[in-house]
Amino acid sequence: MLFFTQCFGAVLDLIHLRFQHYKAKRVFSAAGQLVCVVNPTHSLKYAPTRCAVAQTSAEQGGLPPCHHHEAVHDPQLVPCTCPLFSCPWEGHLEVVVSHLRQTHRINILQGAEIVFLATDMHLPAPTDWIIMHSCLGHQFLLVLRKQEKYEGHPQFFAMMMLIGTPTQADNFTYRLELNRNQRRLKWEATPRSVLECVDSVISDGDCLVLNTSLAQLFSDNGSLAIGIAITTSKVHNGEAEM
């Protein structure tokens, strides 16, 4: 009976996963798009990143605020970029991807256009949904965070960060798209570098921001499908001129 119960549970999980894929493909019908179902990383007790600690200290007259390279005390080393983890790891940019995949089990998808399907949007803040996106010869980190920027009013913040330098990030443009119930919402911007931190991006407002009502408008049974497309800035500017 125990063996049967475990097998039956695995079958149900597989059916649920396939159903999530079907829902995302139904929303984003473009052929060739890859769908990634992303489960949340929920922290009952928020573990601030080093950037958040630096910002708090700066407000108290201590360390300078976290912006750009100031987030890294050694220009040759990068702290762990995985939010909601008080991870002491440091390393060079070349090994950030290996650390995220091996230590934090973050999935990576390849392709110019993918669909990011975040599940369990109802979980309390702070909660993160994270994947890596590989295209155009580079790796990007997509972070969707649910956070209370104002007490009692959770918001969703979606951003794309290049696992590279700010100069390299300026060569790309990313687009996030929500599409449901005959409504469409798009956000286009230049990705930020992982040498910066998620808290700085949120503080600067340089990301897609959704309040709870807007997120529910585009969600489907607690799941939010986000279409992602990345292009080089040169291609993007050419299209704008046309």
Side-chain angles (χ1 to χ4, degrees), residues 27 43 65 81 166 186 213:
V27 175
S43 176
T81 57
K186 289 184 179 181
S213 299

Side-chain angles (χ1 to χ4, degrees), residues 37-92:
V37 178
V38 185
N39 294 319
T41 299
H42 180 60
S43 176
L44 296 177
K45 184 177 181 180
Y46 179 65
T49 62
R50 298 181 192 183
C51 296
V53 173
Q55 285 181 320
T56 302
S57 300
E59 293 173 356
Q60 298 174 352
L63 298 174
C66 167
H67 283 289
H68 303 286
H69 289 63
E70 294 175 0
V72 184
H73 67 276
D74 185 340
Q76 299 299 321
L77 297 177
V78 182
C80 178
T81 57
C82 194
L84 293 185
F85 286 100
S86 54
C87 179
W89 180 89
E90 285 184 331
H92 293 275

Side-chain angles (χ1 to χ4, degrees), residues 19 21-29 180 220-221:
F19 180 66
H21 276 269
Y22 169 76
K23 289 196 300 182
K25 290 181 179 179
R26 184 184 60 190
V27 175
F28 292 86
S29 59
R180 185 172 182 268
D220 184 8
N221 293 326

Side-chain angles (χ1 to χ4, degrees), residues 138-152:
H138 289 78
Q139 283 74 41
F140 300 82
L141 191 69
L142 178 69
V143 178
L144 174 65
R145 168 173 291 183
K146 184 179 183 180
Q147 178 176 311
E148 289 188 358
K149 193 171 183 179
Y150 305 101
E151 186 176 357

Side-chain angles (χ1 to χ4, degrees), residues 207-220:
C207 57
L208 173 63
V209 183
L210 304 172
N211 58 31
T212 304
S213 299
L214 194 58
Q216 290 177 348
L217 187 64
F218 285 97
S219 65
D220 184 8

Side-chain angles (χ1 to χ4, degrees), residues 108-176:
I108 184 168
L109 285 183
Q110 296 184 358
E113 297 186 11
I114 64 174
V115 176
F116 176 98
L117 184 63
T119 65
D120 300 323
M121 302 292 294
H122 62 278
L123 288 177
T127 304
D128 281 342
W129 294 261
I130 310 169
I131 63 166
M132 284 190 290
H133 184 184
S134 177
C135 73
L136 301 176
H138 289 78
Q139 283 74 41
F140 300 82
L141 191 69
L142 178 69
V143 178
L144 174 65
R145 168 173 291 183
K146 184 179 183 180
Q147 178 176 311
E148 289 188 358
K149 193 171 183 179
Y150 305 101
E151 186 176 357
H153 299 280
Q155 294 177 300
F156 293 89
F157 304 88
M159 67 202 75
M160 183 73 75
M161 308 184 76
L162 174 71
I163 302 179
T165 66
T167 301
Q168 292 175 320
D170 288 338
N171 295 324
F172 299 95
T173 298
Y174 75 94
R175 183 181 76 245
L176 305 180

